[in-house]
Amino acid sequence: MALVTSKQMLLDAQKGHYAVGAFNAENMEMVQAIVQAAEELKAPVMIQTTGGTLKYATPKMFANMVKAVAETASVPVCIHLDHGPSFDMAVKCIVAGYTSVMIDGSKLPFEENIAISKRVADMAAAVGIPTEAELGKVGGKEDDTVSSGDDIYTDPQEAKEFAERTGISSLAVGIGTAHGFYKGTPVLDVNRLAEIREVVDVPLVLHGASGLTDEQVRSCVERGICKVNFATELRKAYTDAVKKYIAEDPDVFDPKKYQAAGRAAVVEQVKYRMTVCGCDGKAEN
């Protein structure tokens, strides 16, 4: 199946009251694992790369890897730029073959965030690519994305104005989540999320889901989240499996052997999170 955009995928999730799992990949094995999990569960899936990951390998390299795996897949696959740092990066990813992009202007003042988000959304829409943006902040650190401070929550009325003025296809909201693993117990403002859902028409996105409980993720999906991002826990699953393999066979020198162990661990982690999001079986519809 050819790569698809995220637009219809997320609109279907919004209508069906489930969320699409969006998983960050760092290498070929993680790309393979994410799509394998999606096929086994018959789920639509989004594969993401951050700006930091795209310093490790080019957008073209990741786009071609995902495209190659998607072409033989039986489920819809989208490749998405996660936390895009600039207009130029969004253009590079679209030219490379990405089928969805995010522009993250959440650190900017409100009007400046609107301006950059609208600029990317207009450019991407001209070639049929949907755009995600962010209002409010997701705390913690992920690659080059670092957020801190108390101003992390998305204001519902600002979210309504932001979505209407920018023309974005989906909106990431701040309700108390953080990138990376949590050092304490996260407290999510799900009532705020419900208020945002009441006034914003476009699909809503939850960042910083690694480490959230099943109940917390499901509670957010019930209140309108249509896309849930997972990154850190996939990296940990992959790395832990590789470390275990090498510890048990310290003489191994063939990367394919321990990377296959990492891939298998990611398959299981992705399947687990897909069932929590409720997107398993939705590619059959």
Side-chain angles (χ1 to χ4, degrees):
M1 181 179 292
L3 285 169
V4 302
T5 74
S6 59
K7 184 170 184 177
Q8 193 59 48
M9 194 181 282
L10 296 186
L11 289 175
D12 288 345
Q14 187 176 48
K15 182 178 179 181
H17 304 290
Y18 61 89
V20 174
F23 303 94
N24 286 57
E26 310 296 335
N27 56 21
M28 180 188 75
E29 287 76 18
M30 294 179 80
V31 169
Q32 292 172 321
I34 293 165
V35 175
Q36 180 181 332
E39 289 207 90
E40 289 184 15
L41 294 188
K42 297 184 177 2
V45 69
M46 293 178 66
I47 297 177
Q48 307 187 141
T49 57
T50 61
T53 300
L54 295 179
K55 292 179 181 178
Y56 179 73
T58 65
K60 189 68 173 176
M61 182 171 287
F62 273 103
N64 284 342
M65 275 197 296
V66 177
K67 180 182 178 183
V69 177
E71 283 176 346
T72 59
S74 58
V75 296
V77 179
C78 168
I79 179 168
H80 175 75
L81 170 63
D82 185 28
H83 287 290
S86 66
F87 179 87
D88 289 344
M89 176 63 79
V91 171
K92 288 178 182 177
C93 285
I94 290 173
V95 170
Y98 278 57
T99 53
S100 182
V101 293
M102 177 189 181
I103 178 67
D104 185 358
S106 60
K107 298 184 189 69
L108 300 172
F110 184 65
E111 290 296 332
E112 291 181 32
N113 191 359
I114 285 179
I116 184 62
S117 299
K118 177 173 172 51
R119 186 182 180 210
V120 172
D122 288 348
M123 175 275 297
V127 290
I129 301 298
T131 298
E132 174 186 332
E134 183 171 328
L135 184 65
K137 296 186 179 113
V138 178
K141 182 180 188 300
E142 180 180 19
D143 285 346
D144 297 332
T145 302
V146 182
S147 294
S148 61
D150 298 325
D151 185 21
I152 62 173
Y153 293 101
T154 302
D155 177 84
Q157 289 304 316
E158 284 191 350
K160 180 178 186 295
E161 180 182 353
F162 185 88
E164 291 173 350
R165 290 177 60 187
T166 58
I168 55 172
S169 305
S170 58
L171 177 65
V173 294
I175 59 167
T177 54
H179 295 117
F181 284 128
Y182 293 91
K183 296 179 180 178
T185 302
V187 178
L188 306 186
D189 191 344
V190 293
N191 292 328
R192 179 184 297 267
L193 174 58
E195 292 173 8
I196 296 169
R197 174 73 286 159
E198 284 293 317
V199 296
V200 175
D201 292 332
V202 300
L204 301 179
V205 179
L206 183 70
H207 286 229
S210 288
L212 294 183
T213 66
D214 296 355
E215 182 180 356
Q216 286 174 315
V217 174
R218 291 191 181 109
S219 178
C220 290
V221 173
E222 288 170 2
R223 288 165 175 78
I225 289 294
C226 303
K227 171 179 177 268
V228 182
N229 288 16
F230 301 98
T232 304
E233 62 187 47
L234 270 67
R235 293 173 177 175
K236 187 174 190 306
Y238 183 90
T239 302
D240 285 352
V242 170
K243 287 179 178 178
K244 182 174 184 293
Y245 191 101
I246 294 175
E248 293 174 351
D249 184 5
D251 295 326
V252 65
F253 60 86
D254 185 349
K256 294 189 295 296
K257 293 183 178 180
Y258 51 78
Q259 288 176 167
R263 179 173 58 201
V266 173
V267 170
E268 295 308 310
Q269 186 65 30
V270 171
K271 287 167 63 177
Y272 155 53
R273 284 308 201 174
M274 283 179 163
T275 59
V276 173
C277 290
C279 58
D280 50 311
K282 298 303 188 293
E284 296 179 310
N285 296 340

